[in-house]
Amino acid sequence: MTNIGVDKGLKKRVVNKLKVFRSKKTGGWYSAFLCLVNQGLVTLSFFGVGVNLVLFLTRVLGQDNATAANNVSKWTGTVYLCSLLGAFISDSYWGRFLTCAIFQLILILGLVIISLTSWLFLIKPNGCGDGILNCISPSPIGTRLFYWAIYLVALGYGGHQPTIATFGSDQFDEEKPKEKISRAAYFGYFYFALNAGSLVSNTILVYYEDGGKWTLGFWASTAAALLGLFVFLLGTPGYRYVKSFGNPLPRVAQVFVAAFRKWSVPSVYGQELYEMDGSESSIKGTRKILHSNDFKKLDNAAIVTEEDRQRPVADPWRLCTITQVEEAKCIIRMLPIWLCTIMYSVIFTQMASLFVEQGEVMDAMIGHFRLPAASMSAFDICSVLMCTFLYRFMVVPLAGKISGNPKGLTELQRMGVGLIIGMLSMVAAGVTEILRLRRVIPGKETSSLSIFWQIPQYILVGASEVFMYVGQLEFFNGQAPDGIKSLGSSLCMASMSIGNYVSSMLVNMVMHITTRGSRHGWIPENLNNGHIDRFYFLIFGLALVDLVAFVCFAKWYKGINLEDSTKGGDKESQLLEKV
C-alpha cells in the first residue's frame, strides 16, 4: 500500500513537471505573432476579391449600380454569417487549430476557381473591365462558376477569422497576470494585422484590377492565401492548444427545458442551487461561473427537487448546474448589446459599396494617373493603423489615470464612441455628395469635385473601427463563457453580416419608395439624378436611435463572474458594468 501511494505521488509530480515544461515551450508572443501574420496574409487574399467586387460586377458582369451594391452587401453578409459556423465547429468539435486549417483550404479553393474562371470565361477581350474597354456579355457557366467561387471564399474567410482571433488569444494564459495583459493587447494587434493586410489589397491589387488586370489580382490573392497557410502550419509544434468543449446548443436548451419543467417550483437562495463539488465544472475544461441574481426563473433549472434526489444519476434535462444556467444567462445578456452593433455595421458596409460608386463619378485624376475609387479605402486602413497606436499609447494611459481602469475605457464605452464616430462619417459622406452634385459636369456622369473630398469620411470610418470592432472583439470574447469563446469572437463578424443584409434591405426599400411615378430614386444608375446624400443622412438618423438603445442596454449589462476572477477582488468586472 505504501509503494502504491509513493508511485501515485511520484506520478503526480512528474505530470506536474511535464505540464510546467510544456507551458514554457508553448504559446506566448511567438505563436501569437504567427497567427497575426497569418491573419494579415489571409485578409490580403480576401480583400483582393472583396474590395473591388462592386466594380467587377458592374464592369465585367454588366450589373447596374443598385443591383451590384445589393449583391456585394449580400455576399459580405454571407462572409460574416459563416463566422458563426466556423466558431460553432471549433468550439464544439474540431478545435480551433483544425478549424483554421480547413477553412483556409476552402478559401484557397475558392480563390483558385475565381482566378481560372475570370481568365477562361469572363475577361473577354483581354484587359476589359478597366472602365474604358467593355467586356463581352459573360457566359452562363462563367457567371455561375464565379458566384460559386466567391461564396466559397465567403465560407473560407468567414469560418477562419473568428477562430484565428480566439486561437491567437489562446496562446496567453488568463490566469497569469502578465499574460492576461498581453491577451488584451493581442486583440488590438489582431485588428492592426487585419488592416495591414487589407492595405496591400486596397492599393497594389486594386490598381491592377482597376486597370483590367483582374486575373493577375486574383492569382496574387491566391498566392497570399497559400503563404498564410504555410506560416500558420509553421507554428504547429509551439502552439498552445485548447480542446473543444462539446456542442453548446444542448447545454443551453437543457437550461430552458429544465426551468420550464420547474416553473412553479418555489425559488431558493443561490447557495442552495445545484453545482458540482470541487473545482471540476459540468462543462469539462471550463471554469465555473458564479451565480447571478437576474433572470431568476432560469435558476429553477438548478433547484434540486425530491424527484431529483431519488434519481441515481442526475437528468440534465431536469437538473442543470449553476454554471450551465449562467452560461445561458450570459448569452441572453450579450444579445441586446450585439443587436445594437448591427446598425454600426450598416454604416461600415457603405465603404465597400456606395463610397466606391460615389468615388467613381468624382474627379480621380492626379496628373495623367487615374486613382481607382476603391483604393480610397486605403485612407480608412491608414486611419485604423494610426488610431490603433494612438489609442494604445496615448488614450489608454490618459483615460486609465482618469477612470482607474488599466484598459483606459471599458469595452462598452469604446463601442459607444465607435458608433458616434461612425455616425459622423455618414454626415461627412452626405456633405461630400451635396458638394459633388453641385459640380456635376453637364452632359457627363462625372463631377469636377476631387475624389480626395472623400478622405474625411474614410478617416472617420477607420477611427470608429478602432473603437467599435476592437472593443467588440475584446467584449464578446472576454464576456463569453469558456465553452463558447470562438462563438463570442464570431458575434463581431455576425453583426457585420446582419448589417450587410439590413443595408441591402434599406437600399431596396428606399429605391421602392423613391422611384414611384417617374422619379429616378435616391440611388439610380446615373448618380447625378439621385440623392445618395439623403440615404447617408437616413442611416445617420437610424444610428442615432440605435445609440440611445445601446446606452440603455450598456447601463443594464452585468459582466460575467467567473470563479477564478473573484479571488483577490476583480475591479475589472465591476468597471464593465459602467458605460
Side-chain angles (χ1 to χ4, degrees):
M1 291 293 290
T2 306
N3 290 337
I4 293 173
V6 171
D7 289 342
K8 284 185 177 179
L10 179 62
K11 184 178 179 181
K12 188 175 181 180
R13 286 196 297 272
V14 170
V15 169
N16 288 335
K17 288 287 184 183
L18 286 172
K19 284 182 178 179
V20 172
F21 175 77
R22 179 65 179 165
S23 66
K24 288 180 179 178
K25 293 292 182 180
T26 58
W29 272 113
Y30 175 73
S31 297
F33 177 74
L34 292 177
C35 293
L36 294 175
V37 174
N38 170 261
Q39 174 61 17
L41 289 167
V42 170
T43 302
L44 188 159
S45 66
F46 169 73
F47 279 104
V49 175
V51 74
N52 239 358
L53 183 59
V54 69
L55 295 185
F56 189 92
L57 295 178
T58 54
R59 293 180 183 180
V60 179
L61 298 189
Q63 297 179 2
D64 59 71
N65 284 331
T67 302
N70 269 343
N71 284 334
V72 170
S73 292
K74 291 174 184 175
W75 176 77
T76 310
T78 303
V79 172
Y80 298 127
L81 200 59
C82 289
S83 67
L84 293 173
L85 175 64
F88 174 78
I89 291 173
S90 68
D91 280 338
S92 305
Y93 302 110
W94 294 352
R96 285 151 199 164
F97 175 81
L98 185 59
T99 303
C100 283
I102 290 176
F103 276 98
Q104 283 182 80
L105 289 172
I106 295 172
L107 171 68
I108 291 168
L109 175 62
L111 290 169
V112 169
I113 297 174
I114 287 176
S115 304
L116 291 173
T117 301
S118 64
W119 176 40
L120 297 174
F121 298 105
L122 300 179
I123 309 300
K124 303 291 181 182
N126 188 37
C128 71
D130 60 350
I132 300 173
L133 180 62
N134 294 324
C135 296
I136 62 173
S137 297
S139 64
I141 187 173
T143 303
R144 198 173 294 114
L145 281 172
F146 179 77
Y147 273 104
W148 271 102
I150 61 173
Y151 278 94
L152 276 175
V153 169
L155 175 62
Y157 184 75
H160 167 267
Q161 189 176 6
T163 313
I164 193 69
T166 310
F167 184 68
S169 68
D170 286 341
Q171 306 312 307
F172 306 103
D173 189 350
E174 273 192 292
E175 295 180 4
K176 298 177 181 177
K178 287 185 179 179
E179 292 200 24
K180 188 174 183 180
I181 295 171
S182 297
R183 186 178 180 276
Y186 169 80
F187 288 108
Y189 294 128
F190 177 83
Y191 204 70
F192 180 90
L194 186 153
N195 281 274
S198 61
L199 179 62
V200 179
S201 301
N202 284 266
T203 51
I204 299 173
L205 293 187
V206 161
Y207 172 73
Y208 283 105
E209 291 172 358
D210 190 68
K213 298 177 182 178
W214 296 95
T215 304
L216 177 63
F218 294 150
W219 279 121
S221 295
T222 306
L226 284 167
L227 181 59
L229 179 60
F230 171 77
V231 170
F232 178 72
L233 296 176
L234 194 66
T236 303
Y239 288 135
R240 182 172 177 266
Y241 297 95
V242 175
K243 292 182 179 180
S244 56
F245 300 103
N247 190 343
L249 296 180
R251 292 201 304 267
V252 175
Q254 286 165 359
V255 172
F256 287 99
V257 171
F260 178 76
R261 285 177 168 177
K262 298 177 180 178
W263 195 261
S264 58
V265 175
S267 299
V268 298
Y269 291 106
Q271 58 265 34
E272 297 179 37
L273 298 174
Y274 174 65
E275 182 58 278
M276 295 185 69
D277 295 329
S279 59
E280 187 178 350
S281 171
S282 58
I283 309 168
K284 291 193 180 297
T286 70
R287 291 167 290 179
K288 288 181 180 178
I289 310 174
L290 298 183
H291 177 254
S292 62
N293 292 321
D294 49 352
F295 306 111
K296 290 187 177 181
K297 276 297 179 181
L298 287 181
D299 289 342
N300 287 19
I303 296 175
V304 183
T305 63
E306 191 60 36
E307 184 180 351
D308 294 322
R309 291 190 182 95
Q310 292 175 0
R311 292 177 182 273
V313 180
D315 179 3
W317 293 95
R318 294 192 62 87
L319 181 62
C320 303
T321 64
I322 293 174
T323 294
Q324 268 185 277
V325 173
E326 290 302 319
E327 184 181 50
K329 287 183 181 181
C330 285
I331 294 171
I332 295 172
R333 287 192 205 101
M334 289 192 295
L335 187 60
I337 299 291
W338 174 73
L339 288 172
C340 288
T341 64
I342 292 173
M343 196 62 226
Y344 174 80
S345 296
V346 174
I347 294 172
F348 180 78
T349 195
Q350 305 313 313
M351 193 168 58
S353 53
L354 287 184
F355 279 20
V356 178
E357 292 180 1
Q358 182 186 40
E360 275 291 292
V361 289
M362 298 177 75
D363 180 12
M365 298 302 296
I366 307 174
H368 297 290
F369 173 76
R370 186 180 182 279
L371 186 71
S375 68
M376 287 297 292
S377 56
F379 288 100
D380 160 75
I381 298 165
C382 290
S383 174
V384 169
L385 300 180
M386 184 170 59
C387 290
T388 299
F389 280 103
L390 287 176
Y391 179 82
R392 179 89 185 141
F393 298 108
M394 292 182 65
V395 177
V396 169
L398 182 61
K401 288 180 180 179
I402 297 172
S403 66
N405 183 358
K407 290 184 178 180
L409 301 175
T410 67
E411 287 87 350
L412 291 174
Q413 288 172 336
R414 291 170 67 178
M415 290 159 67
V417 171
L419 182 56
I420 293 171
I421 299 174
M423 290 163 56
L424 294 177
S425 73
M426 289 295 97
V427 174
V431 171
T432 298
E433 180 61 13
I434 291 172
L435 296 174
R436 189 195 70 80
L437 289 172
R438 289 177 180 174
R439 299 179 63 175
V440 169
I441 301 172
K444 293 186 178 182
E445 292 186 6
T446 57
S447 169
S448 61
L449 188 71
S450 172
I451 195 172
F452 291 111
W453 276 87
Q454 284 192 313
I455 290 176
Q457 64 203 58
Y458 278 104
I459 288 178
L460 286 169
V461 170
S464 69
E465 289 176 62
V466 173
F467 287 92
M468 174 58 82
Y469 283 140
V470 178
Q472 276 191 72
L473 275 171
E474 288 188 36
F475 176 77
F476 290 123
N477 188 276
Q479 292 299 298
D482 291 341
I484 52 172
K485 284 290 184 187
S486 292
L487 189 63
S489 296
S490 73
L491 287 176
C492 175
M493 295 186 69
S495 74
M496 294 186 193
S497 170
I498 305 301
N500 277 273
Y501 289 123
V502 171
S503 176
S504 179
M505 180 190 70
L506 278 175
V507 169
N508 288 331
M509 288 177 59
V510 163
M511 288 301 291
H512 177 73
I513 295 171
T514 60
T515 54
R516 290 174 180 172
S518 57
R519 290 178 294 180
H520 293 284
W522 287 3
I523 316 172
E525 178 64 22
N526 185 345
L527 293 182
N528 294 338
N529 297 325
H531 277 286
I532 59 172
D533 53 316
R534 296 176 184 173
F535 185 73
Y536 290 140
F537 294 139
L538 171 66
I539 294 175
F540 171 83
L542 294 173
L544 185 60
V545 175
D546 181 66
L547 177 63
V548 175
F550 175 81
V551 170
C552 293
F553 285 123
K555 285 181 176 292
W556 163 81
Y557 184 81
K558 293 181 180 179
I560 188 172
N561 199 6
L562 294 165
E563 188 175 56
D564 292 342
S565 68
T566 59
K567 295 175 182 178
D570 192 349
K571 295 180 181 179
E572 220 169 90
S573 63
Q574 298 169 9
L575 285 164
L576 249 173
E577 296 181 15
K578 302 176 182 178
V579 183

